[in-house]
């Protein structure tokens, strides 16, 4: 495997991805189903200040992305903030970040699979088709990261092309002036809640950092890929928001479960939204499986998860055991659990993950920084504020998730399972 400095220390993953491929995987993660559904709850919370919420979400995403890029340039290894947290802040903060990412994002992966199936098949077939989607994309990831990047490229290009057609059709159609809905003006809390919902919709740039061990020239390519990917997605969300506000108004967006469909009316382009949403869900699921598998592998290397999950496939150079385990976990969630509560703690886990990333970036020495120290502070404060705006059920679920993880690690440290170094 590789050390955090990028030096070879044994069998590890291969550096096969260029900047363009990393951007495509990041875009696949960020242009998920959120662009088709996140505007409704965000408009309900923020009202006519929806664009303010979008600006705040983009600002926090920028701060987090810069911190992630700075850390990835110094520590180009798999695992993202799990690895950075361990190196800069210590094993416990690193574990908290990794545990929150693996457990929370596994729930998100199950939700993405169900979203894909909901857009494509009748209700009775949703769960079986969701399971098949997981199996297919685990197989794609299993065969190598270049296959993952190729699939992400196809999905991203198709989704962007379909969205472009849909937006042109909406803009060239004939629409009545948007009706003003009572209660459109939101409080400061509502604006922050709207920002939090939009932030989660395009916060997938961390997936690029989790691939740090597979990107060529990572000290330059990873920061560049994160910046390009985030920039494209922020512009895309802004364009969609402006178009929807122009056609439906904030009240109309808040009252529609599928605002792009509502904005199209009875247009011939309606099926294109369904196809684009299904493909976007697949793209997000593909990137989630890749990111979770590599973070689980990194944790297994340090025995924060069972060590056999650290195995690398000798032919495909993938963390095959970790990815298969992730696939099984996602399928079990789909088949046997109610995901509504799980998605709440996923949001909590993501914010804690980025909180640790920002603190780690702030703690880096001056000569390792790509951004001013205040940006890490601003990102950490933003994450803490967004946590405070989460629903109480999400906070309780998140705290319970981390309590289980911390208890698990404490037990392993206490009994030294799998040769665990009790000095950790």
């Amino acid at each position: 495997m590789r050390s955090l400095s990028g030096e070879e220390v044994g069998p590890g993953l291969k550096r096969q991805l260029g900047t363009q491929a990393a951007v495509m995987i990041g875009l696949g993660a960020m242009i998920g189903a959120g662009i088709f559904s996140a505007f409704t709850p965000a408009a309900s919370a923020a009202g006519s200040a929806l664009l303010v919420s979008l600006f705040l979400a983009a600002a926090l995403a920028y701060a987090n992305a810069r911190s992630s890029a700075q850390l990835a340039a110094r520590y180009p290894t798999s695992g993202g903030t799990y690895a950075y947290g361990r190196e800069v802040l210590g094993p416990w903060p690193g574990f908290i970040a990794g545990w929150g990412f693996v457990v929370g994002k596994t729930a998100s992966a199950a939700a993405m699979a169900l979203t894909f199936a909901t857009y494509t098949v009748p209700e009775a077939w949703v769960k079986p088709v969701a399971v098949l989607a997981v199996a297919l994309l685990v197989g794609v990831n299993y065969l190598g990261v270049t296959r993952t990047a190729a699939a992400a490229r196809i999905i991203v290009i198709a989704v962007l092309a379909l969205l472009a057609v849909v937006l042109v059709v909406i803009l060239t159609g004939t629409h009545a002036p948007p009706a003003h809905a009572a209660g459109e003006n939101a409080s400061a809390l509502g604006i922050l809640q709207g920002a939090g919902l939009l932030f989660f919709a395009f916060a997938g740039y961390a997936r690029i950092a989790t691939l740090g061990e597979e990107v060529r020239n990572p000290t330059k390519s990873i920061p560049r890929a994160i910046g390009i990917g985030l920039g494209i997605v922020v512009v895309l969300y802004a364009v969609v928001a402006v178009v929807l506000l122009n056609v439906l108004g904030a009240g109309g967006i808040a009252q529609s479960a599928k605002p792009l469909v509502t904005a199209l009316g009875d247009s011939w382009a309606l099926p294109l939204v369904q196809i684009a949403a299904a493909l976007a869900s697949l793209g997000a699921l593909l990137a989630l499986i890749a990111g979770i598998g590599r973070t689980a592998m990194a944790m297994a290397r340090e025995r924060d998860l069972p060590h056999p999950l650290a195995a690398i496939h000798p032919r495909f150079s993938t963390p095959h055991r970790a990815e298969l385990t992730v696939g099984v976990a996602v399928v079990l969630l789909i088949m046997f659990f109610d995901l509504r509560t799980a998605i709440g703690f996923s949001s909590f886990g993501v914010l804690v993950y980025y909180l640790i990333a920002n603190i780690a970036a702030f703690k880096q020495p001056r000569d390792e920084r790509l951004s001013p120290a205040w940006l890490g502070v601003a990102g950490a404060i933003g994450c803490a504020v967004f946590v405070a705006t989460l629903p109480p059920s999400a906070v309780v679920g998140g705290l319970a998730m981390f309590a289980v993880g911390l208890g698990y690690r404490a037990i392993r440290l206490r009994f030294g399972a799998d040769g665990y170094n009790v000095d950790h």
Side-chain angles (χ1 to χ4, degrees):
M1 66 185 230
R2 285 170 171 79
S3 68
L4 291 180
S5 64
E7 298 176 353
E8 290 282 355
V9 294
L13 301 173
K14 295 179 180 178
R15 297 199 182 278
Q16 305 176 76
L17 299 178
T19 301
Q20 184 185 76
V23 168
M24 287 299 174
I25 292 175
L27 287 175
M30 288 184 274
I31 307 176
I35 197 167
F36 302 93
S37 57
F39 286 109
T40 296
S44 297
S48 57
L50 179 63
L51 289 179
V52 178
S53 289
L54 181 62
F55 172 78
L56 291 175
L60 179 59
Y62 175 77
N64 291 344
R66 291 298 299 172
S67 291
S68 297
Q70 176 176 296
L71 289 159
R74 174 64 181 85
Y75 307 111
T77 189
S78 295
T81 300
Y82 166 72
Y84 315 148
R86 280 186 62 90
E87 181 69 11
V88 180
L89 303 176
W92 281 102
F95 175 84
I96 290 170
W99 181 265
F101 184 87
V102 169
V103 177
K105 288 301 184 181
T106 298
S108 295
M112 282 297 103
L114 288 169
T115 301
F116 162 74
T118 299
Y119 272 100
T120 54
V121 296
E123 185 176 352
W125 287 90
V126 165
K127 286 195 172 185
V129 169
V131 169
L132 286 175
V134 172
L136 173 64
L137 296 185
V138 168
V140 171
N141 276 299
Y142 190 99
L143 293 176
V145 73
T146 55
R147 271 76 168 186
T148 302
R153 181 180 294 108
I154 293 169
I155 291 171
V156 166
I157 291 173
V159 171
L160 291 177
L162 290 168
L163 274 175
V165 173
V166 167
L167 293 175
V168 168
V169 171
I170 292 173
L171 289 171
T172 56
T174 302
H175 305 282
H180 179 83
E184 275 192 35
N185 294 322
S187 63
L189 178 61
I191 292 172
L192 289 173
Q193 288 176 336
L197 291 164
L198 291 171
F199 169 75
F200 295 125
F202 59 76
Y205 43 83
R207 235 65 79 238
I208 299 172
T210 63
L211 301 171
E213 199 169 309
E214 295 163 278
V215 176
R216 296 191 299 270
N217 193 14
T219 56
K220 293 183 178 179
S221 294
I222 294 177
R224 188 179 302 154
I226 289 175
I228 293 171
L230 179 61
I232 291 172
V233 172
V234 169
V235 170
L236 177 63
Y237 267 76
V239 170
V240 173
V242 169
V243 169
L244 291 177
L245 285 169
N246 181 62
V247 174
L248 301 177
I253 298 171
Q255 293 165 10
S256 173
K258 298 178 180 179
L260 281 170
V261 171
T262 303
L264 279 170
D266 57 358
S267 169
W268 62 268
L270 282 172
L272 299 185
V273 178
Q274 184 176 11
I275 296 169
L279 287 174
S281 300
L282 280 184
L285 178 59
L286 178 73
L288 278 168
I289 292 170
I292 300 167
R294 281 150 181 82
T295 302
M297 176 202 69
M299 295 181 73
R301 285 174 171 174
E302 303 292 343
R303 290 180 167 78
D304 277 333
L305 288 177
H307 191 59
L309 297 181
I312 304 297
H313 195 284
R315 177 181 175 187
F316 301 122
S317 186
T318 54
H320 57 296
R321 291 179 184 171
E323 290 186 341
L324 290 174
T325 302
V326 169
V328 170
V330 174
V331 167
L332 290 175
L333 282 175
I334 290 170
M335 296 303 295
F336 300 111
F337 294 92
D338 178 3
L339 293 179
R340 286 174 293 185
T341 301
I343 297 307
F345 71 64
S346 176
S347 300
F348 187 95
V350 169
L351 284 170
V352 171
Y353 179 89
Y354 286 119
L355 174 64
I356 292 172
N358 281 300
I359 295 172
F362 171 73
K363 295 280 286 184
Q364 282 184 277
R366 185 184 299 272
D367 60 354
E368 294 179 7
R369 290 180 186 158
L370 302 178
S371 305
W374 66 261
L375 200 59
V377 174
I381 292 172
C383 289
V385 170
F386 278 21
V387 164
T389 68
L390 289 175
S393 59
V395 175
V396 172
L399 291 174
M401 173 186 69
F402 283 113
V404 170
L406 293 172
Y408 165 79
R409 188 172 194 271
I411 291 171
R412 290 179 65 83
L413 284 171
R414 174 68 177 82
F415 294 102
D418 292 333
Y420 211 136
N421 183 350
V422 294
D423 292 332
H424 282 208

